Amino acid sequence: MEEIKKGGLVDVFDLKNVDVHIGEIVDEGEGEEEWEPMGPHPMPRIATLRDWDFKLLNRYKPFYAPICDMCCLCTYGKCDLTGNKKGACGIRMDAQQGRIVLLACLVGCSAHCGHGRHLLHDMIKKFGPDVPIDFGPEVDIEAPLTRLVCGIKPKTIGDYDEVFSYVEEQIVQLADALHTGQEGSYMDFESKALHMGMLDSLNKEAADIIQIACYGMPTSLPGGGPDVPLVDVGIGTIDTNKPVIIVIGHNVPPAADIGVYLTENDLEDKVELGGICCTSIDTTRVYTKAKIVSALGRQLRVLRAGIADVVVTDEQCIRADVLELCQRVQSPMIATNDKAMHGLVDRTDDDPNKIVEDLVSGRVPGVIILEPDQVGEVAVRTALQMDKKRRSLNFILSDDEFKYYVNDCILCGGCTLACPNGLHIGEANKSAATGNIKPLADLFDLCVGCGRCEQVCKKHIPIVDVMTKAAYPQLKAEKGRMRIGRGPIWDSEIREVGAPLVLGTIPGIIAPIGCGNYPNGTKDAWLIVKEFAERNYIVTLTGCMAIDCALWKDEEGKTIYEAHHGRFDAGGVLNIGSCVSNAHIHGAAIKVASIFAGRPLRGNYEEIADYILSRVGACGVAWGAMSQKAASIATGFNRLGVPAVVGPHGAKYRRAFMSRPDIKEDWKLIDATDGSEVYVEPGPQDLLVACETVEEALPMMAKLCFRPSDTDRGRSIKLTHYIDLNQKYLSTYPPDWHLFVRAASDLPIATRNELLKKLEDEQEWKIDWKKKKIVEGPIRGYNPSFNPTNLERLIRGKK
Amino acid sequence: MEVAFDVANVSGPEMGGIAPPEVIGSYISSARKPLLVVGSEMLRDDFFVEIAIEIGKKGIPIAATGHSIRGFVEKEYTENVHYYNLHELTNYLRDPNWKGLDGEGNYDFVIFYGIIYYYASQMLSCLKNFATEPLVRTVSIDRYYHPNARMSFTNIMPRMEEEYKDMLDKLVESIKR
């Protein structure tokens, strides 16, 4: 063989001992369609958007509240970092907190990326890579985040291979930065966390688009959109006279296969398919006879109640002790995902008859089946047989057992000290022992369902079971309704509401998302949705909050989904879908910039985020945020310019992003029309902040919908709600309402004189009472042509 | 050794001490410029609102966080009471250049009262770790042991509510301004 020289030509037929692999084949003329000129930042790397991050971080400076004062990650340690001391490697406490935040976002982002990649593998195997991404006539911008971040317009699910490859490489690079002896600046750790958050949002969009495309989940094709059907929610909706299958997790293919098996075998009305957490939401998007048993917060109690004849797990948000819980109530378990195998034996490709026999006989407590299409038959046949075996079993405590346990409590207080919410369980037990079970029953909804109380009980009282027994009548009556996840917001809806959203006449988008670690029960979730929907905000929900708010009803007996329409419009209450579906909320904000304002999307993240931060009054709320996924989700929202409120448990994420309204220089924007610098009001004031109670969170969310671009009419509507929510829940005017007043026309007409008087008396503003105008006082006057930006490159002409 | 109210809330080598009301009252009395930070748990009983007002009447300004401001409005005691979100307030307190509620500078001493345990613990952690130059001293007068405060009460279970009320009375009595 000839020696290969640099720049020389080689005849491949002369090569020996060489394997030639052919990867992607691109036909001539079938390259990337020129759908839009490429923007400045396609597939950004770690440092690409750092300038944007630093603009955010300099205004919304990272705030740290360590949950541990030490670093324990290397053998120099433990290092005491208390008081912002340096550890042995030189890292200070603030940078260490940034590092831990990045680690949390890494875990969250990896979960969504792993989920999406897994889904892509399964779907390509089942349907091939050419499944078209076609969401019907009302959705032209099918993948706003993919277009924005990657500069790719995906046509088929196979196009997402490139997207995941990009994300996977970035995740590895970001994980590298966590190693001892790498990054040392908290600001750069946070920039990396923001990058991770953006990648996470991309993962979610990819995962949901793939499953929508392959399973025909609702879009703008017939049957989708605002008029998707309602499904049952709640433990009380499950008919335990039938065989019951409970699916848990986030990755829907195994549950979808169960639905297919039930349909093909005419068992839809003979077997109950219920779910917990996001798998349940996604199951109802493919099989509308499925029921949503509960959100994450009730997983332990649903399993312990023993209603499942078989439990099928996939990935994420599954209790680590799920197998033990299943064994306790003789429910066979089928694990279907290699990320959560729980020590079971892999029986993929085994004879279904043998697997079913082993499960039903109890020879094995559970099995692993990693091929989704093999799960349906095994799960259904096992449930049918187990139902007969388990019919006589009852895992709800008898009256005598209940009495024994509540009397056995010695009021030591150990359970209270172990409880995340510090619930006074002992006192409720004592009350039950004297015949009043209401305090104990009332704890059921306040309990986050962790079970730590039982771990410390000196008397080994099964506290979870005792609480469930006390609340059993209300559990049986727990029957809610929710719309199935509708997926993407339609382009046509954005065309209708883009202007009112940016001008402020629809006061904002409120996005309740995330887990069930609530400070005071699920009713807060309902109250948040109700309050804002009734005020004509657009409420877009995903995940556990979408489920939990459906458990409560108004005076007419309607759930929040029944009481409000499902359009992306004022007063709408939209279940977007599971956790991965909340990418469509990002997508809606991006589409406002693209469709309403005509901003280019392709590879243009910074400009779009700048637009959203200044103009789109949207606010996320993760009232029960618990997981690392919630951390990365919120961080992804933040990089895009969307603020988020968390409940008090969210303070344990260690980091917040809050501004300083009292530092004028932090609030200098540019008028892109002429390049002039303008000092503006603090809108939005924070990017991530915790509230102690829902009463405080409601006005806070209204405040975080102010944007510098609001018209005076829009601002007056937002001010009306901000002031009214403060008066309703805090019994007072907000102390900072005057900061958001630019002119008298910003004030609500009904109370304009009263508010002008307050401005004159309390803020010493000068008012021209004849003209009803503000002469002196505001941070700035109202300029309807103000074109706010944080980016100098967007200045159109110099003053 | 007392355990934290949330039993696994063991922060590190620097854990605050437990003290009786007279000692905490005396410690508060040593402050140059103290601030009382009140949370929504105060609203569970009128008695606790009255305690906050009594402390306020000793010339200690009150930052009402959560929705605790309602208690003061209902009692028509709003002089020297300001609503703040606790996260945002702590963000101010960690900055030595903050002008304070009165526009005359930051505080050297913060009293936490009536705040959900775990939220308060995180904010106390922030002040412990980052409000160090100059030092902002912290105490909690809640019914919890707070390792992140320099001083707090022990854990007090509901059956000891009357004793807790007595402790607060003693504390107020021992604050000399």
Side-chain angles (χ1 to χ4, degrees):
Chain A
M1 192 181 117
E2 286 181 54
E3 184 185 350
I4 301 173
K5 291 179 182 168
K6 189 177 178 184
L9 296 173
V10 176
D11 187 334
V12 292
F13 295 106
D14 288 344
L15 295 174
K16 290 178 184 171
N17 300 322
V18 173
D19 280 338
V20 177
H21 295 274
I22 297 172
E24 189 181 11
I25 299 172
V26 181
D27 289 346
E28 197 174 348
E30 282 194 14
E32 177 69 34
E33 173 197 343
E34 273 306 316
W35 47 278
E36 187 176 306
M38 185 63 87
H41 305 128
M43 298 204 175
R45 304 177 72 79
I46 288 179
T48 309
L49 296 171
R50 185 169 178 260
D51 286 350
W52 169 248
D53 296 337
F54 272 53
K55 283 185 196 304
L56 293 176
L57 296 169
N58 280 318
R59 184 180 300 156
Y60 305 99
K61 291 190 174 60
F63 164 100
Y64 294 119
I67 205 162
C68 172
D69 297 340
M70 297 174 288
C71 177
C72 321
L73 293 178
C74 82
T75 62
Y76 284 138
K78 301 180 178 179
C79 288
D80 173 21
L81 308 179
T82 314
N84 209 18
K85 287 198 285 286
K86 287 195 283 191
C89 69
I91 200 164
R92 282 198 186 278
M93 174 63 104
D94 50 13
Q96 173 67 5
Q97 296 309 300
R99 188 183 183 195
I100 297 294
V101 168
L102 176 59
L103 180 62
C105 292
L106 166 79
V107 174
C109 181
S110 299
H112 285 136
C113 184
H115 171 188
R117 177 61 96 174
H118 199 133
L119 198 54
L120 182 63
H121 281 159
D122 283 344
M123 294 300 97
I124 286 179
K125 188 172 178 187
K126 187 176 174 75
F127 300 108
D130 298 327
V131 177
I133 295 168
D134 174 10
F135 295 162
E138 306 295 335
V139 181
D140 284 336
I141 301 178
E142 71 303 291
L145 277 157
T146 309
R147 292 184 182 203
L148 182 68
V149 178
C150 298
I152 292 172
K153 182 179 176 183
K155 290 179 180 168
T156 65
I157 64 165
D159 291 342
Y160 272 102
D161 182 61
E162 185 182 359
V163 173
F164 283 123
S165 294
Y166 159 67
V167 174
E168 285 154 358
E169 196 224 328
Q170 291 301 297
I171 286 175
V172 171
Q173 297 294 340
L174 289 162
D176 180 4
L178 290 165
H179 196 273
T180 301
Q182 296 277 43
E183 190 57 79
S185 153
Y186 72 89
M187 290 285 274
D188 270 305
F189 271 123
E190 293 297 352
S191 172
K192 290 175 172 65
L194 289 165
H195 191 55
M196 192 77 84
M198 180 198 71
L199 299 170
D200 183 52
S201 62
L202 181 60
N203 290 327
K204 290 181 292 175
E205 179 177 274
D208 209 38
I209 282 177
I210 292 164
Q211 63 183 5
I212 290 171
C214 293
Y215 286 118
M217 289 175 176
T219 56
S220 76
L221 292 164
D227 301 320
V228 290
L230 292 154
V231 292
D232 289 338
V233 183
I235 298 172
T237 64
I238 298 294
D239 183 354
T240 51
N241 292 316
K242 297 177 184 175
V244 177
I245 303 168
I246 299 288
V247 292
I248 309 172
H250 285 70
N251 196 349
V252 78
D257 190 57
I258 297 170
V260 168
Y261 188 87
L262 291 172
T263 306
E264 288 177 349
N265 291 277
D266 199 22
L267 291 167
E268 291 167 291
D269 295 322
K270 295 177 184 137
V271 176
E272 289 278 71
L273 175 57
I276 297 171
C277 215
C278 282
T279 286
S280 70
I281 294 180
D282 283 342
T283 306
T284 61
R285 294 166 87 187
V286 296
Y287 177 73
T288 52
K289 294 223 167 188
K291 293 174 179 176
I292 295 170
V293 183
S294 81
L296 171 64
R298 296 191 180 175
Q299 182 178 163
L300 171 66
R301 290 170 282 179
V302 169
L303 292 174
R304 287 270 287 266
I307 60 176
D309 292 307
V310 64
V311 171
V312 179
T313 62
D314 51 83
E315 65 170 290
Q316 301 168 37
C317 300
I318 307 157
R319 284 190 61 94
D321 59 352
V322 62
L323 181 61
E324 178 190 328
L325 293 169
C326 288
Q327 285 179 280
R328 181 182 172 124
V329 293
Q330 299 174 40
S331 304
M333 175 178 147
I334 303 171
T336 64
N337 196 293
D338 53 12
K339 279 157 272 185
M341 300 203 280
H342 297 278
L344 295 167
V345 174
D346 185 357
R347 301 286 295 271
T348 311
D349 296 329
D350 262 15
D351 177 0
N353 294 321
K354 285 185 183 164
I355 302 174
V356 172
E357 190 186 322
D358 283 350
L359 288 171
V360 173
S361 67
R363 272 198 289 278
V364 295
V367 294
I368 297 165
I369 301 177
L370 297 177
E371 282 296 332
D373 289 352
Q374 295 174 15
V375 173
E377 180 185 355
V378 174
V380 173
R381 287 178 53 199
T382 303
L384 286 166
Q385 293 189 47
M386 287 305 296
D387 174 53
K388 291 172 198 152
K389 257 184 104 170
R390 295 176 79 255
R391 191 153 289 255
S392 60
L393 303 175
N394 181 13
F395 296 97
I396 303 299
L397 296 179
S398 69
D399 292 348
D400 287 343
E401 287 169 322
F402 177 75
K403 277 181 196 163
Y404 171 79
Y405 286 128
V406 295
N407 277 294
D408 207 30
C409 174
I410 54 171
L411 282 170
C412 70
C415 51
T416 301
L417 298 186
C419 174
N421 277 342
L423 297 178
H424 294 128
I425 300 162
E427 285 68 25
N429 281 340
K430 188 180 174 190
S431 176
T434 59
N436 178 15
I437 62 166
K438 188 173 183 306
L440 199 50
D442 287 347
L443 289 185
F444 185 89
D445 190 58
L446 307 181
C447 165
V448 295
C450 69
R452 286 198 327 215
C453 48
E454 290 187 358
Q455 295 295 306
V456 298
C457 181
K458 293 181 175 74
K459 302 293 285 184
H460 305 291
I461 297 170
I463 295 169
V464 173
D465 296 340
V466 171
M467 211 181 278
T468 300
K469 170 70 177 180
Y472 197 60
Q474 69 207 49
L475 287 182
K476 293 293 284 180
E478 189 174 83
K479 295 177 181 178
R481 301 275 283 166
M482 70 184 279
R483 283 191 195 89
I484 66 172
R486 55 160 285 179
I489 308 303
W490 295 359
D491 298 14
S492 50
E493 291 173 301
I494 298 291
R495 279 184 204 102
E496 292 291 319
V497 303
L501 267 173
V502 172
L503 302 178
T505 48
I506 290 178
I509 304 167
I510 298 293
I513 59 170
C515 339
N517 195 15
Y518 304 119
N520 200 32
T522 58
K523 198 169 186 180
D524 285 355
W526 173 79
L527 180 62
I528 289 168
V529 179
K530 178 176 179 289
E531 191 64 71
F532 284 105
E534 288 180 352
R535 290 172 184 273
N536 274 338
Y537 289 71
I538 305 171
V539 185
T540 56
L541 298 114
T542 60
C544 285
M545 277 189 87
I547 298 172
D548 285 326
C549 76
L551 297 174
W552 297 87
K553 293 175 182 170
D554 61 19
E555 309 79 47
E556 294 175 22
K558 289 181 177 172
T559 64
I560 200 72
Y561 293 102
E562 292 167 310
H564 288 267
H565 66 80
R567 298 187 305 281
F568 189 75
D569 200 350
V573 175
L574 294 72
N575 173 21
I576 304 296
S578 59
C579 281
V580 292
S581 309
N582 75 37
H584 303 305
I585 305 172
H586 299 70
I590 294 166
K591 285 185 186 186
V592 170
S594 169
I595 295 172
F596 167 68
R599 299 292 179 106
L601 281 191
R602 191 174 183 190
N604 196 27
Y605 189 93
E606 185 184 53
E607 180 178 343
I608 297 297
D610 175 63
Y611 182 93
I612 292 169
L613 178 67
S614 298
R615 296 168 197 262
V616 181
C619 178
V621 53
W623 194 239
M626 174 279 293
S627 68
Q628 298 85 38
K629 286 186 296 170
S632 59
I633 289 170
T635 308
F637 269 118
N638 292 163
R639 195 184 216 191
L640 195 61
V642 179
V645 172
V646 291
H649 283 294
K652 288 182 255 181
Y653 279 123
R654 304 167 177 84
R655 185 262 276 136
F657 290 134
M658 294 176 288
S659 78
R660 289 286 297 272
D662 58 327
I663 299 177
K664 187 179 172 186
E665 284 304 306
D666 286 356
W667 291 99
K668 191 163 66 182
L669 292 187
I670 302 166
D671 189 336
T673 311
D674 60 8
S676 58
E677 293 179 338
V678 182
Y679 291 99
V680 302
E681 59 280 9
Q685 182 170 324
D686 302 317
L687 280 185
L688 186 68
V689 63
C691 288
E692 188 184 19
T693 60
V694 74
E695 291 89 344
E696 183 184 33
L698 291 162
M700 176 66 84
M701 283 181 259
K703 179 160 87 166
L704 294 183
C705 288
F706 286 119
R707 293 295 180 276
S709 67
D710 295 338
T711 61
D712 52 355
R713 186 157 166 257
R715 181 62 61 88
S716 76
I717 292 169
K718 292 185 182 185
L719 261 176
T720 300
H721 294 302
Y722 181 46
I723 293 172
D724 188 57
L725 283 163
N726 267 273
Q727 291 183 316
K728 183 173 179 180
Y729 291 102
L730 303 181
S731 303
T732 184
Y733 272 81
D736 56 355
W737 68 272
H738 62 283
L739 297 179
F740 303 100
V741 180
R742 301 161 299 182
S745 55
D746 281 347
L747 299 170
I749 293 172
T751 53
R752 188 169 291 169
N753 283 351
E754 179 192 334
L755 294 174
L756 282 171
K757 190 79 178 66
K758 282 177 81 70
L759 289 169
E760 187 177 58
D761 294 347
E762 296 171 13
Q763 304 300 328
E764 299 178 357
W765 287 17
K766 287 187 181 163
I767 311 296
D768 180 338
W769 283 102
K770 279 189 183 168
K771 294 180 181 170
K772 297 271 176 70
K773 281 191 170 176
I774 296 168
V775 179
E776 192 181 305
I779 295 169
R780 63 172 174 126
Y782 171 52
N783 171 10
S785 59
F786 181 41
N787 189 359
T789 182
N790 295 278
L791 305 173
E792 287 190 1
R793 69 181 171 86
L794 297 184
I795 297 171
R796 291 179 193 161
K798 280 284 179 188
K799 196 175 183 179
Chain B
M1 193 181 103
E2 181 65 297
V3 296
F5 180 74
D6 188 344
V7 69
N9 187 23
V10 179
S11 53
E14 289 188 26
M15 306 266 280
I18 292 168
E22 295 84 352
V23 173
I24 294 181
S26 168
Y27 192 37
I28 294 170
S29 303
S30 73
R32 179 181 53 80
K33 189 177 182 188
L35 174 69
L36 175 65
V37 181
V38 173
S40 306
E41 283 193 357
M42 177 196 71
L43 299 175
R44 66 196 172 90
D45 188 317
D46 262 6
F47 173 86
F48 300 112
V49 184
E50 295 291 353
I51 287 288
I53 292 171
E54 283 187 51
I55 295 174
K57 284 179 177 171
K58 286 179 181 275
I60 297 178
I62 299 172
T65 71
H67 65 287
S68 65
I69 187 87
R70 273 173 23 182
F72 299 104
V73 172
E74 281 164 21
K75 298 276 181 192
E76 297 182 346
Y77 180 85
T78 52
E79 193 184 344
N80 224 6
V81 180
H82 306 258
Y83 164 75
Y84 270 87
N85 167 273
L86 181 58
H87 229 157
E88 292 174 352
L89 176 68
T90 313
N91 193 33
Y92 285 116
L93 286 166
R94 70 175 175 139
D95 175 7
N97 296 317
W98 182 44
K99 298 296 181 198
L101 307 180
D102 57 5
E104 292 179 7
N106 205 342
Y107 302 86
D108 70 329
F109 199 108
V110 183
I111 307 152
F112 273 48
Y113 172 55
I115 305 169
I116 288 180
Y117 174 78
Y118 47 87
Y119 193 11
S121 180
Q122 288 305 103
M123 297 306 103
L124 289 164
S125 167
C126 171
L127 296 176
K128 180 175 83 173
N129 282 292
F130 299 109
T132 52
E133 292 177 13
L135 183 69
V136 177
R137 291 178 289 168
T138 58
V139 296
S140 165
I141 56 169
D142 273 321
R143 50 192 169 148
Y144 315 121
Y145 168 47
H146 263 295
N148 284 320
R150 289 170 74 88
M151 226 179 255
S152 64
F153 292 153
T154 186
N155 294 318
I156 303 164
M157 289 294 139
R159 64 181 181 279
M160 309 286 282
E161 187 88 328
E162 291 309 310
E163 285 87 337
Y164 176 50
K165 288 180 176 176
D166 286 344
M167 289 165 76
L168 289 174
D169 280 334
K170 283 179 190 160
L171 175 108
V172 172
E173 206 174 299
S174 59
I175 297 174
K176 309 294 181 202
R177 297 286 299 164

